[in-house]
Amino acid sequence: MKKKNETILQAFRGEKTDYTPVWFMRQAGRSQPEYRKLKEKYSLFEITHQPELCAYVTRLPVEQYGVDAAILYKDIMTPLPAIGVDVEIKTGIGPVIDQPIETKSDVEKLGTIDPESDVPYVMDTIRLLTKEQLDVPLIGFSGAPFTLASYMIEGGPSKNYHRTKAMMYRDPATWFALMERLADTTITYVKAQIKAGAQAIQIFDSWVGALSVPDYRYYIKPIMERIFTELKDENVPLILFGVGASHLIMEWNDLPVDVIGIDWRISIKEARDLGITKPLQGNLDPAILLSDWKTIEERTKAIIDQGRDLPAHIFNLGHGVTPEIDPAILKKVTELVHHYSKQ
Amino acid sequence: MKKKNETILQAFRGEKTDYTPVWFMRQAGRSQPEYRKLKEKYSLFEITHQPELCAYVTRLPVEQYGVDAAILYKDIMTPLPAIGVDVEIKTGIGPVIDQPIETKSDVEKLGTIDPESDVPYVMDTIRLLTKEQLDVPLIGFSGAPFTLASYMIEGGPSKNYHRTKAMMYRDPATWFALMERLADTTITYVKAQIKAGAQAIQIFDSWVGALSVPDYRYYIKPIMERIFTELKDENVPLILFGVGASHLIMEWNDLPVDVIGIDWRISIKEARDLGITKPLQGNLDPAILLSDWKTIEERTKAIIDQGRDLPAHIFNLGHGVTPEIDPAILKKVTELVHHYSKQ
């Protein structure tokens, strides 16, 4: 379905737009009082597994803030149970996996995903949103192999990813087997999302910034090359994002990806000066949103000004919205981005 | 006392040395079986508060690996109880502070440190080591104000430092008051360590990489400028280190600091190309030490080769040794660094 507002898709393609489009990572969820109210009645499982509820949560920030895209309200762990990984999201900790992957045989036991039968609620939510409810594009997404593998190997969130890196260095055969399985999962999962109606895809390689450039080149880049090459044919814009990964973005610039998402550790200007030729997405530190309006306004304007040249810029945060951030501020920032970027 | 081996001090000053000196962050402690055995008999409190025990733990890696410096076996939280901060080191979590700093009046309640009366066991350990036991220099250290403040404001380790940044943005008067108090503490604590015999000082601003360059310039740099200016008169080399902080090292290069410590997210060569004019310390990813010897050797040699030009290079890891790292490997790496850098 053609959306009323497709500005963000133009920007993802690097084209000139009337204004700078904006969305916020983790714009839906715990920062919103409507979500917290819903959580009093329904569990996280119910919200994510009931398309009507999940669609409601997904479109709330579009209706309330006027952002230029919705992003599916899901966790990056969503496809993992389908391939045989038992994940539990624990409050205050994050995803916990009781039986971490250790050996080649653990990897070989992993299955494949059939999104329509394994995660039908995801596909139904996308259809509901894109065919009926949204007048802006829906961004689908997936975790990238390194980031998914880090949870699967560490058994949960990690500070230093030493178990993950140890497998990478010590047992490259197992490592690459795992990467290929997760690439298969990502590709199949994302293609299904696109078929269901998602008009852009963000790949979250959230924690890959823990690697050095030589390690990224050897252990990760070929897998990402394969993923983006296979997804390229689908003809929807592909965004790649990671936290603390500014040392890797020149590697990303080589990949067949459309948009590079950056955090506040590098500025839009510095990324351009470095030689990034693709559209950039970002990069306000979400912590700035806890500041006074004067500071928020200054920092937001500075980012917009740096992003005025082609290829286009998509305004976003450098990481997700956290629960303590005031929705009224997100609305005000959205208006500021739209208004100021027209000047 | 003049040490037999002062090579590392020459390197800290940027001078040419016969070989590349080496030490490892967190070289003493849980990775060593002798330490774990000691822990069966003594608590962490006993080890850090009894100079004989603490000196033993501190000098173990010097005797066992042949590293070119010892680093005091202490936590960066050590000086905080003296100024009125109630810290508890919880296993598996890290430092926990039950009553976090929130207001200006919380900051005003903080006291000053008198190292000889507040932490006499630290001073006695340094004297024991430097006057009698060590034949290499002892590196003293302190946490930097941002990193210490992050624990004091968050109440423990944090992923995003949002409470810390919120104070910084929302209440700069309280922020700068806290920074000045912690700068006072750092300066007094470090000066006492130098007086007791420490021959170099590393300032750990471990978590400051969470900040953008503009925030670092405004909220942190003037404080660091003051600390290093006041310590400069002591005439011992000053090292500054942080994790994931490669976007800040050009700011560090402006400070009156002698040595810049980097992690594996930037190479020695890239740091030089960027314009770093000071000696560099680092930067092997400690996770590499979980790999096979061939990989460890290759990566170590590559770092040594990049560090051959003046100003001198000090080999180290890009972050601390973790408990699962094999002491035999640390010994082998030390020998490799010494041997290969002579060629």
Side-chain angles (χ1 to χ4, degrees):
Chain A
M1 187 173 89
K2 174 91 178 160
K3 299 298 172 194
K4 282 186 212 146
N5 173 0
E6 296 207 333
T7 302
I8 202 164
L9 298 182
Q10 290 176 266
F12 286 150
R13 291 190 296 258
E15 297 164 11
K16 193 164 167 52
T17 52
D18 298 336
Y19 60 88
T20 302
V22 49
W23 68 282
F24 303 108
M25 288 186 275
R26 225 177 286 149
Q27 61 192 10
R30 281 200 295 148
S31 59
Q32 299 197 290
E34 295 81 2
Y35 177 84
R36 292 195 298 266
K37 212 173 153 195
L38 204 66
K39 272 297 293 291
E40 290 169 14
K41 274 182 74 179
Y42 302 98
S43 70
L44 179 63
F45 185 91
E46 287 171 315
I47 294 174
T48 54
H49 284 64
Q50 293 185 26
E52 282 290 353
L53 289 178
C54 191
Y56 166 73
V57 172
T58 300
R59 67 176 197 270
L60 261 179
V62 179
E63 291 163 7
Q64 292 185 335
Y65 310 151
V67 286
D68 297 280
I71 180 150
L72 196 59
Y73 183 70
K74 291 287 166 205
D75 193 88
I76 59 165
M77 297 291 120
T78 303
L80 293 190
I83 63 166
V85 181
D86 198 17
V87 190
E88 197 191 334
I89 310 288
K90 288 196 181 168
T91 315
I93 300 178
V96 173
I97 292 167
D98 280 338
Q99 293 195 298
I101 298 279
E102 288 177 0
T103 63
K104 189 89 183 278
S105 110
D106 293 338
V107 174
E108 280 158 2
K109 276 180 213 140
L110 295 174
T112 55
I113 188 170
D114 174 3
E116 287 295 347
S117 64
D118 290 326
V119 287
Y121 49 90
V122 175
M123 302 305 132
D124 290 340
T125 306
I126 296 176
R127 280 187 282 264
L128 195 60
L129 282 162
T130 57
K131 311 254 179 300
E132 298 172 28
Q133 297 181 346
L134 283 176
D135 58 5
V136 294
L138 177 74
I139 302 173
F141 71 91
S142 173
F146 175 87
T147 296
L148 295 175
S150 78
Y151 290 102
M152 290 163 71
I153 298 167
E154 307 282 342
S158 171
K159 276 183 194 169
N160 56 31
Y161 308 97
H162 276 199
R163 287 168 70 105
T164 309
K165 293 180 182 180
M167 181 190 284
M168 204 168 84
Y169 299 132
R170 278 186 189 162
D171 190 358
T174 301
W175 174 259
F176 284 110
L178 177 57
M179 287 296 100
E180 292 298 344
R181 291 283 172 125
L182 291 172
D184 294 342
T185 308
T186 298
I187 291 165
T188 309
Y189 182 51
V190 164
K191 281 190 174 178
Q193 291 182 49
I194 295 168
K195 201 177 164 201
Q199 288 179 282
I201 295 293
Q202 177 150 317
I203 301 294
F204 284 87
D205 213 350
S206 308
W207 314 132
V208 79
L211 297 182
S212 66
V213 172
D215 283 347
Y216 188 83
R217 279 189 195 141
Y218 188 76
Y219 295 103
I220 309 297
K221 202 174 176 182
I223 285 72
M224 300 307 285
E225 180 87 37
R226 186 193 142 203
I227 292 175
F228 291 120
T229 302
E230 294 198 30
L231 292 178
K232 202 77 198 158
D233 299 338
E234 302 293 320
N235 250 325
V236 309
L238 305 169
I239 313 158
L240 178 54
F241 169 76
V243 185
S246 36
H247 57 298
L248 301 177
I249 60 173
M250 281 307 285
E251 303 302 313
W252 294 1
N253 201 49
D254 297 339
L255 295 170
V257 72
D258 298 285
V259 180
I260 290 176
I262 56 177
D263 76 9
W264 59 91
R265 289 173 180 87
I266 187 166
S267 69
I268 305 280
K269 185 180 179 312
E270 286 165 331
R272 287 276 168 251
D273 290 348
L274 211 59
I276 298 295
T277 52
K278 299 176 190 280
L280 285 161
Q281 175 178 284
N283 67 343
L284 190 72
D285 183 347
I288 298 271
L289 300 177
L290 304 171
S291 182
D292 58 294
W293 178 248
K294 189 172 160 284
T295 307
I296 298 171
E297 191 177 19
E298 267 174 25
R299 301 295 188 102
T300 301
K301 286 182 173 178
I303 292 170
I304 297 169
D305 285 334
Q306 289 181 44
R308 286 185 189 276
D309 297 331
L310 284 182
H313 165 231
I314 301 91
F315 190 91
N316 204 318
L317 306 177
H319 201 178
V321 172
T322 49
E324 72 274 25
I325 290 172
D326 180 2
I329 293 292
L330 292 170
K331 184 173 162 61
K332 229 173 144 180
V333 169
T334 306
E335 288 166 356
L336 175 65
V337 174
H338 285 164
H339 182 75
Y340 182 71
S341 63
K342 278 185 202 153
Q343 291 174 359
Chain B
M1 188 172 89
K2 174 91 178 160
K3 300 297 171 195
K4 282 186 210 144
N5 173 358
E6 296 208 332
T7 302
I8 202 163
L9 298 182
Q10 290 177 266
F12 287 151
R13 290 189 297 255
E15 296 164 13
K16 193 163 168 50
T17 53
D18 298 336
Y19 60 89
T20 302
V22 50
W23 68 282
F24 303 109
M25 287 185 276
R26 228 178 284 150
Q27 60 191 11
R30 283 201 294 149
S31 59
Q32 300 196 291
E34 294 80 2
Y35 177 83
R36 292 195 297 267
K37 213 174 151 195
L38 204 67
K39 272 297 292 288
E40 289 169 15
K41 274 182 72 178
Y42 302 99
S43 70
L44 179 63
F45 186 91
E46 287 170 316
I47 294 173
T48 54
H49 284 64
Q50 293 185 26
E52 282 290 352
L53 289 176
C54 191
Y56 166 73
V57 172
T58 299
R59 68 177 198 269
L60 260 179
V62 179
E63 291 163 7
Q64 293 185 335
Y65 310 150
V67 287
D68 298 279
I71 180 150
L72 197 59
Y73 182 70
K74 291 288 165 202
D75 192 272
I76 59 165
M77 296 291 121
T78 304
L80 294 189
I83 64 166
V85 182
D86 198 14
V87 190
E88 198 190 336
I89 309 290
K90 288 196 183 168
T91 314
I93 301 179
V96 172
I97 292 167
D98 280 336
Q99 293 195 298
I101 297 280
E102 289 177 359
T103 62
K104 189 90 183 278
S105 108
D106 292 339
V107 174
E108 281 160 0
K109 276 179 213 141
L110 295 173
T112 54
I113 188 171
D114 173 2
E116 288 293 347
S117 63
D118 290 324
V119 287
Y121 50 90
V122 175
M123 303 305 131
D124 290 340
T125 306
I126 296 175
R127 279 186 283 263
L128 196 59
L129 282 162
T130 58
K131 311 246 178 310
E132 297 171 29
Q133 299 181 343
L134 284 176
D135 58 5
V136 294
L138 177 75
I139 302 172
F141 71 91
S142 172
F146 175 87
T147 295
L148 295 174
S150 78
Y151 290 101
M152 290 163 69
I153 298 168
E154 308 281 343
S158 170
K159 278 184 194 168
N160 56 30
Y161 307 96
H162 276 199
R163 287 169 69 104
T164 309
K165 291 180 181 179
M167 181 192 283
M168 206 169 81
Y169 299 132
R170 276 186 188 161
D171 190 357
T174 301
W175 174 258
F176 284 111
L178 177 57
M179 287 296 100
E180 292 297 345
R181 291 282 172 125
L182 291 172
D184 294 342
T185 307
T186 298
I187 292 165
T188 309
Y189 182 51
V190 165
K191 282 190 174 181
Q193 291 182 50
I194 296 168
K195 200 175 165 204
Q199 288 179 280
I201 295 294
Q202 176 151 319
I203 301 295
F204 285 87
D205 212 352
S206 307
W207 314 132
V208 78
L211 298 182
S212 67
V213 173
D215 283 348
Y216 188 84
R217 279 189 195 141
Y218 188 76
Y219 294 105
I220 308 296
K221 202 174 176 182
I223 285 72
M224 300 308 283
E225 179 87 36
R226 186 193 141 203
I227 291 174
F228 290 120
T229 303
E230 293 197 29
L231 292 178
K232 204 76 197 157
D233 299 338
E234 303 293 319
N235 250 324
V236 309
L238 305 170
I239 313 158
L240 178 56
F241 169 75
V243 185
S246 36
H247 58 298
L248 301 178
I249 60 172
M250 282 306 285
E251 303 302 314
W252 294 1
N253 201 48
D254 297 339
L255 294 171
V257 72
D258 299 284
V259 180
I260 290 177
I262 56 176
D263 76 10
W264 58 91
R265 291 172 179 89
I266 186 166
S267 69
I268 305 278
K269 185 182 178 311
E270 286 165 332
R272 286 277 168 250
D273 290 349
L274 211 60
I276 298 296
T277 52
K278 300 177 191 278
L280 285 161
Q281 176 178 282
N283 69 343
L284 189 73
D285 183 347
I288 298 271
L289 300 178
L290 304 172
S291 183
D292 58 295
W293 178 247
K294 191 174 157 282
T295 308
I296 298 171
E297 192 177 18
E298 268 174 26
R299 301 295 188 99
T300 301
K301 285 181 173 177
I303 292 170
I304 296 169
D305 285 335
Q306 289 181 42
R308 286 186 189 275
D309 296 332
L310 286 182
H313 165 229
I314 300 92
F315 190 91
N316 204 319
L317 306 176
H319 201 177
V321 173
T322 50
E324 73 273 25
I325 290 171
D326 179 2
I329 293 293
L330 292 170
K331 183 173 164 63
K332 230 173 144 181
V333 169
T334 306
E335 288 165 357
L336 175 65
V337 174
H338 286 163
H339 183 76
Y340 183 71
S341 63
K342 277 184 202 154
Q343 292 173 358

